[in-house]
Every structure is written in structure tokens, then in C-alpha cells.
Amino acid sequence: MKKVIILFVIMTTSVFSQGWNNVVQTTIPFTSASKVDLVTNKDGNHILVTYADYPTYYLRYYLVNSSGAVIRNFTFENQAVQFANIDGTDDRIYVVYKIGNQIKTRKSTDAGQTWLTNIDPLDIGNNTCNNIDVTFGKDDNALHVVWATQDNGNDYETYYRRLYNDEWEAQKNVTDYGNEVGGFPTVSKSPNRVHVSYNTGQSYDPETNLGDAKSRDKYINTWQSPQLVFPTESFRERIHAGNSKLFDFYYKLETGMGQYHSDLYVKERSFGSTSWSSPQLLKQFAGVNEILSATNSSDGNTHIVYEISDGVGYRKYNGSYWSAEEQIGDGYISPRIYSVSNDLYVVWGRIVPNQKIYNVYYRQYDAAPLAPQNPQLSANPGNNKVRISWTRNNEADISFYKV
């Protein structure tokens, strides 16, 4: 009689409560004029810090583990750089920054141990640049870069390029539609679409810039008509493709009661729509120099961090509404957030009174790990055993699976 054996395989890591871990003061130095950016993958937290306190100028990369300890660092430049960004995926990390009249791109495929220099720099001219932003498209396996230069009298023009297989594709002037102009661009990616935001103001300084908040989409290979998000009194904005909706976070001028400040609002729409929702106030008296950071987790939520008075504010969007504001850290310089699976990783610079040198701080929301993907059973010829295989999840804090 033939016997059929059914094998049940249970894979697990460990069971623990979900929540924010303690704040960690890293050993990464930070100054009041520094900026920080973050991308996280299976190798850990990849942190990029721009140091810009005279006479100290340099751009440095740090790899930090899930406990906040520095594993390695690498210095890209020992001179002044602007608008440095980091992004990537599990098998590669990109660093993009402006130096002189060029945008340079460096890539690592070994968790920051070595950095390739084979990607051609982009010459963007000598006119004033007021922002560079990047995003890595996991659906098209490409890096998307936007920047703006003051090429039209006092007006800025926003430009876009896509890097695929380490080769730049043709450049696009995003603000070439009719009489469009605009600077302070940001970029985000949803399936088959590139989303770019820009502002029609004429200033290099976001605190003195005022204009229309606008966006423009590229659908597959076609650029759509620009869309007005908010008119006239916006300092700047960030566009972000959430799990189910497109968001535009903008900083609105408020002048009532003799006060002059900015409030942070958000509007949303479906990816292919041209109709934005009514605005929702997220934060009164929001600083515009430190633009908010956004990320998506595997459970369908979108998460943001932004500066609040002496701290880092956090909210999440569950597909229907935004949670109440939560302070997750003290100090507020350049807060950045990134998600892997359902874990959240946040870094920021903290101000300590009467000190010139500060540190980068780190905090993790430690969610229950996801199950490994693609479990398979296969014959292992020669020893009469069955081979069990699976695809490891990319959480930075997983060390092993127990079978």
C-alpha cells in the first residue's frame, strides 16, 4: 500500500510586542547646519550626513545596524556639497548630490563597503539650484532624479532624468507645458507612474518662497498636463505615492492675527486622477526648512515624520484617516523615516543647548516580522531527505529563522 506523508513546516522567528524601541544616541556627529537622509534594507540603516559648518564641509555615509551601532563609514567629498540624497533597494544603494555645476551619483552593491564611480555626472549649469530629490522605483528598477535651476529669468525650471542600468535616459523639462515654471521639486513613484511636484515661487530660500503648489505625472511614457494643488501661498511641498493614494504635503502661509508662519496641510487623490481632495491640517506652525519625510509599510499604512517644537512628530495614514500626532523624539533637525516590511526606522539630528556638536539619533518601530516568502519542498537526491527552502524577508533586524 502506498503511503502519503504530509509534511507541515512552521517557520517562525520570535514572538514579541510591537511598538517603538528606545531612542538611541548614535556616535555619528552632527552640527546645526547638517542634513541627514536615510534608506534601510536587509543590511541595515544607510545614513547620509551632509556636514556644512564652516570651515568643516564633507559628505559622509554610515551603515548602522538595527541597534543603532555604526558598522562602517565612507567619506564621498571633503568639500561643500548640496542637496545630498540616498535611496535604493535590497541589492544596491545610490547616493546623489550636487557639487559645483554637476549632479554626481555613486552606487554600492556591497552594503557601502565600496562605491562605484562609473555613472556619468550630470552637468546642470551655473544657475542657482534650489533642490534635488530622488526616488528608486521598485516597479521599474530605476532611479528617478529631479532638480530645479533658475533658467528662466527669476523663475526656476524643474528637470527630470531616469537612471536605468547605470545609464541616463533623455532629460525632460517638467515645466515645459505652456507657461509653466517652478522649483523646489520632489519626486515619487507608483506603478507605471512618476509623480513630480514643484512650486512657482522665485526664491532659493524656502522660508521666503511663495507660489502655487503644482504636480505633474508621467504615465508610462507620456507626460500628463500639470495639476494645481494649492494656489499662491504655498512655501513648498512634497509629493508621495502611498500604498493606495497619492499625497501632496504642502506648507501654507498663514498671516492672521498679525502672525506670519506656515501650517502643514495634505491633499490626496487616486494615482490616475486629476481631482485633489479637500485639504487636511496636519500641523500648525510647521517649519519649512525641514521638509517632512514619508514612507509606506507592507500593511498598507503610510507614515510621516516632521519637525515639531523641540521634537520629531509622527503620524500614520491607514487608508482612511490620519492618526493623532505623536512625539517620538527630542530634537528635530532633518527627521527622516524609512520602512522595511512593517518595521519603521527614523533618524534625526538633536540639538543640545550650548553645544556646537550634536549627534544623529535613531529610533525603530519594531513590528512583528513577516513570514518568509515562497516556501518550497524539493527532493534532495542521494540522501533520501527533503530540502526546505524559502526567500528571506528583508527586515534589517532578522538574524535567522527557526524551522
Side-chain angles (χ1 to χ4, degrees), residues 2 40 55 88 117 122 126 133 172 222 233 268 282 285 314 327 368 402:
K2 184 181 293 185
T40 305
T117 60
L122 300 177
N126 294 317
D133 194 40
K172 170 66 176 179
T222 302
E233 296 182 332
E268 64 188 51
L282 294 176
F285 295 91
Y314 162 80
Q327 181 170 341
K402 182 181 290 186

Side-chain angles (χ1 to χ4, degrees), residues 217-246:
D217 289 0
K218 179 186 179 185
Y219 176 58
I220 307 179
N221 293 317
T222 302
W223 286 92
Q224 311 295 301
S225 300
Q227 299 179 17
L228 177 65
V229 181
F230 183 78
T232 310
E233 296 182 332
S234 166
F235 289 93
R236 67 191 306 192
E237 54 274 3
R238 175 176 293 284
I239 206 160
H240 178 74
N243 281 299
S244 60
K245 297 178 181 178
L246 184 68

Side-chain angles (χ1 to χ4, degrees), residues 160-394:
Y160 161 84
R161 290 192 84 161
R162 178 179 182 258
L163 182 71
Y164 183 70
N165 284 340
D166 294 348
E167 297 290 337
W168 292 107
E169 296 178 350
Q171 181 169 303
K172 170 66 176 179
N173 182 344
V174 179
T175 47
D176 64 354
Y177 187 96
N179 295 319
E180 287 290 294
V181 294
F184 288 109
T186 65
V187 62
S188 193
K189 188 74 177 67
S190 66
N192 295 320
R193 298 180 189 273
V194 177
H195 309 274
V196 179
S197 72
Y198 53 93
N199 189 284
T200 62
Q202 298 178 333
S203 178
Y204 172 83
D205 180 0
E207 291 189 316
T208 61
N209 184 75
L210 282 176
D212 296 342
K214 291 197 167 186
S215 72
R216 192 176 184 188
D217 289 0
K218 179 186 179 185
Y219 176 58
I220 307 179
N221 293 317
T222 302
W223 286 92
Q224 311 295 301
S225 300
Q227 299 179 17
L228 177 65
V229 181
F230 183 78
T232 310
E233 296 182 332
S234 166
F235 289 93
R236 67 191 306 192
E237 54 274 3
R238 175 176 293 284
I239 206 160
H240 178 74
N243 281 299
S244 60
K245 297 178 181 178
L246 184 68
F247 301 97
D248 192 292
F249 304 94
Y250 62 93
Y251 294 79
K252 177 182 178 292
L253 170 67
E254 297 289 353
T255 59
M257 304 296 292
Q259 296 179 335
Y260 181 96
H261 68 276
S262 65
D263 289 345
L264 175 61
Y265 284 85
V266 63
K267 287 187 176 183
E268 64 188 51
R269 64 171 172 84
S270 61
F271 293 135
S273 174
T274 59
S275 178
W276 291 92
S277 70
S278 299
Q280 179 177 347
L281 176 66
L282 294 176
K283 180 64 182 177
Q284 290 183 306
F285 295 91
V288 300
N289 271 325
E290 307 296 342
I291 194 168
L292 70 75
S293 176
T295 191
N296 305 321
S297 51
S298 297
D299 56 11
N301 293 327
T302 295
H303 310 261
I304 60 173
V305 292
Y306 49 92
E307 69 168 52
I308 60 178
S309 179
D310 298 325
V312 177
Y314 162 80
R315 288 176 182 260
K316 76 174 180 181
Y317 182 82
N318 67 359
S320 300
Y321 60 86
W322 288 94
S323 66
E325 180 180 278
E326 178 182 356
Q327 181 170 341
I328 61 170
D330 296 328
Y332 55 84
I333 300 178
S334 199
R336 294 293 179 263
I337 188 170
Y338 204 87
S339 177
V340 179
S341 294
N342 289 323
D343 284 356
L344 304 175
Y345 304 87
V346 182
V347 296
W348 69 94
R350 182 181 178 188
I351 293 178
V352 180
N354 303 319
Q355 293 184 21
K356 183 179 180 181
I357 301 298
Y358 320 123
N359 291 93
V360 171
Y361 282 68
Y362 163 79
R363 195 170 190 188
Q364 178 187 355
Y365 183 89
D366 203 357
L370 298 182
Q373 304 300 306
N374 305 316
Q376 296 182 1
L377 300 178
S378 59
N380 191 2
N383 61 7
N384 296 318
K385 290 182 171 58
V386 173
R387 183 186 299 275
I388 305 169
S389 62
W390 61 86
T391 301
R392 178 191 187 277
N393 277 320
N394 57 359

